[in-house]
Amino acid sequence: MRTLAGVFVFAVVVSLPSAAQATPKFNPFTYTYDTLGEGEVEVEQYADAIPLKAVNAASGDPQWYVATQFQTEFEYGITNRLELGLYVSLVPTPPASLAQTGNTPEGNGVKQRLRYRFAEEGQWPIDVGIYGELVENDHEIEIEGKVILQKRIGRLRALMNLWVEHEWYYINRREWVINPTAAVSYQVTPSFFPGVEGWMRVEWPDPGIHPRPFNLGPAVYAGPTVSLNFGRFWWTTGAYLRMNDPLRSLAPGDSYGNFWFRSIVGVDL
């Protein structure tokens, strides 16, 4: 009976119409073309979980653990087309009992970014926006840029982010990072948006490293996503399978696990 009740509540909730104009991410890694209206405010909370392997410091045996990273984003609509975002990121330290742990892409620090769209949706054959970000965290300073492309055909939304970063590490090293994403989502009801998403991350250090380590990529992930939009509140999550080197056994110190999970909760204030 509890299962049937849960199914009934879920069916009712996802059928409710959206009551506000929030800017949800329909796929966790891919930014949409939409921006907040002038004076509007939204808060988003990200959470990533990546099952990885480490070494038990006491026994020396391989051991599974879950690497996590968290990010809180505050968005503000400067105009109807220009949006400011301020971020705080946190990466919990793995337990002291583990050695040879992997590193997540994020660090502990702050970010500032602007997102701008060039026209109203549908005025151009493909909706185009741009995104610029400055990052300062515990191991680097980074400049990031994105070109956001979107096409809507009825209830289908196709998205692509052309994404590049340049990073300056405090240990006198620099690198370029390419991190493109692509996704589609479909509006089943006003509140329920299933989809599929893929993304890649690859790093090119300067000076170069030879032979090239596994953790520099390219790492390619793809998987299903789902977004629930309740007006002022929305939730989006995705589960991804690593597509490159599928037969490779995960080793202690690897940063790209066989699976990657990301979830985002957003609230329009």
Side-chain angles (χ1 to χ4, degrees):
M1 291 298 294
R2 286 195 297 267
T3 301
L4 290 175
V7 171
F8 175 77
V9 171
F10 177 81
V12 171
V13 169
V14 300
S15 299
L16 293 174
S18 298
Q21 298 300 314
T23 56
K25 292 181 178 63
F26 297 97
N27 313 93
F29 280 86
T30 307
Y31 272 85
T32 66
Y33 170 76
D34 313 86
T35 57
L36 290 172
E38 182 176 351
E40 294 181 345
V41 178
E42 188 167 300
V43 179
E44 300 176 2
Q45 179 61 56
Y46 292 67
D48 291 63
I50 312 102
L52 298 175
K53 273 188 177 180
V55 171
N56 187 296
S59 66
D61 296 328
Q63 179 177 324
W64 286 97
Y65 76 105
V66 178
T68 56
Q69 58 184 26
F70 301 94
Q71 179 172 276
T72 304
E73 177 179 356
F74 303 90
E75 296 181 347
Y76 175 74
I78 299 174
T79 72
N80 288 336
R81 294 187 185 177
L82 180 63
E83 181 183 273
L84 170 69
L86 303 175
Y87 302 71
V88 178
S89 58
L90 171 66
V91 180
T93 303
S97 60
L98 299 179
Q100 292 181 243
T101 55
N103 296 315
T104 64
E106 296 292 344
N108 297 305
V110 295
K111 306 179 184 181
Q112 310 83 40
R113 61 91 171 155
L114 292 171
R115 176 169 52 163
Y116 179 78
R117 56 188 177 93
F118 288 99
E120 297 302 321
E121 184 178 330
Q123 288 185 342
W124 293 9
I126 296 178
D127 299 320
V128 180
I130 54 175
Y131 173 116
E133 181 176 278
L134 179 64
V135 179
E136 309 92 15
N137 61 36
D138 55 6
H139 61 271
E140 67 180 5
I141 294 175
E142 171 190 320
I143 294 177
E144 176 184 311
K146 293 187 182 78
V147 176
I148 301 170
L149 305 175
Q150 173 181 285
K151 181 65 176 180
R152 293 190 66 177
I153 305 172
R155 295 187 176 190
L156 182 70
R157 181 191 302 257
L159 289 163
M160 179 176 290
N161 288 178
L162 306 177
W163 181 344
V164 64
E165 306 169 7
H166 193 46
E167 302 175 347
W168 290 267
Y169 288 85
Y170 303 142
I171 57 173
N172 196 29
R173 181 169 66 85
R174 299 175 297 175
E175 71 177 17
W176 288 95
V177 177
I178 306 297
N179 197 20
T181 72
V184 295
S185 63
Y186 186 80
Q187 183 180 354
V188 176
T189 74
S191 299
F192 181 47
F193 301 79
V196 177
E197 183 176 37
W199 54 275
M200 179 185 77
R201 182 177 174 89
V202 57
E203 305 175 31
W204 283 283
D206 180 18
I209 301 176
H210 304 285
R212 187 176 175 83
F214 173 78
N215 283 346
L216 293 181
V220 181
Y221 286 84
T225 66
V226 64
S227 182
L228 302 177
N229 186 356
F230 310 123
R232 294 187 178 276
F233 170 80
W234 56 268
W235 172 68
T236 298
T237 193
Y240 307 91
L241 174 67
R242 196 185 76 235
M243 310 302 291
N244 61 297
D245 296 326
L247 300 181
R248 183 181 189 276
S249 297
L250 197 66
D254 286 351
S255 296
Y256 297 104
N258 298 323
F259 301 96
W260 194 299
F261 304 93
R262 170 172 284 190
S263 192
I264 312 173
V265 173
V267 179
D268 181 12
L269 303 180

